[in-house]
Amino acid sequence: MISIFIVFAVFILFYINKMTSSLCIQKEIPEENQQKVFHTINVLVTILLISSYIEILYT
């Protein structure tokens, strides 16, 4: 179960980063701010994935 969820999480993080990159290009976010945007989005998505795993684990 955990291996399937890890593969799913990596897939989700990859595409979220791809969409974040497109957003930065489209909105013309400066290079120095892009790092903060990526970091914030990655942390929030990771928290979401961990909470989803915990919810699945305990149901």
Side-chain angles (χ1 to χ4, degrees):
M1 171 84 173
I2 193 167
S3 61
I4 294 170
F5 196 82
I6 289 173
V7 169
F8 176 71
V10 169
F11 178 77
I12 293 291
L13 281 171
F14 174 75
Y15 276 100
I16 292 293
N17 281 329
K18 190 174 177 182
M19 288 189 296
T20 304
S21 177
S22 297
L23 173 74
C24 289
I25 291 169
Q26 182 181 11
K27 296 296 181 180
E28 298 175 355
I29 298 174
E31 288 288 328
E32 57 271 2
N33 292 347
Q34 286 184 15
Q35 187 68 23
K36 292 178 186 176
V37 171
F38 274 97
H39 181 71
T40 303
I41 290 175
N42 283 335
V43 167
L44 293 174
V45 169
T46 303
I47 291 170
L48 180 66
L49 288 169
I50 290 171
S51 65
S52 298
Y53 179 73
I54 290 172
E55 183 179 346
I56 291 170
L57 189 65
Y58 289 112
T59 57

